C-alpha cells in the first residue's frame, strides 16, 4: 500500500510541474493529500481557488484524465 501511495505522490508532483508550466491552465500547483482512506489530487488555481479530485483507487492514467477534466474542462 505504501508503494502505491508513494508512486501516486511522485506522479502528481511531476504532473503538477507539467500542468503549472502551461500558462493556459491557470494552475499554481497540484499536490497529493490523504484523508484517512481517501486520496485526493488537490489542485490550486491562480487566485487561490482549490478543487480536490478524489483519486482513490485510480491508476496513473485515470489520475491524468480526472485532473485534466477539472483543469481543462474536458
Amino acid at each position: 500500500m505504501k508503494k502505491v501511495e508513494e508512486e501516486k505522490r511522485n506522479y502528481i508532483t511531476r504532473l503538477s510541474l507539467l500542468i503549472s508550466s502551461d500558462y493556459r491552465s491557470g494552475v499554481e500547483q497540484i499536490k497529493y493529500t490523504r484523508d484517512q482512506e481517501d486520496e485526493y489530487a488537490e489542485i490550486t488555481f491562480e487566485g487561490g481557488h482549490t478543487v480536490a479530485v478524489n483519486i482513490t483507487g485510480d491508476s496513473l492514467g485515470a489520475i491524468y484524465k480526472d485532473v485534466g477534466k477539472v483543469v481543462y474542462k474536458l
Side-chain angles (χ1 to χ4, degrees), residues 20-57:
S20 65
S21 68
D22 177 8
Y23 71 92
R24 295 169 294 174
S25 72
V27 170
E28 286 184 2
Q29 73 170 349
I30 305 171
K31 65 181 181 178
Y32 175 88
T33 61
R34 280 191 72 89
D35 179 15
Q36 295 174 348
E37 295 299 318
D38 293 324
E39 300 171 296
Y40 298 93
E42 190 173 282
I43 306 166
T44 303
F45 292 92
E46 295 168 357
H49 177 68
T50 302
V51 176
V53 178
N54 189 321
I55 58 165
T56 306

Side-chain angles (χ1 to χ4, degrees), residues 54-67:
N54 189 321
I55 58 165
T56 306
D58 280 5
S59 67
L60 301 182
I63 291 171
Y64 182 75
K65 276 180 70 174
D66 290 345
V67 168

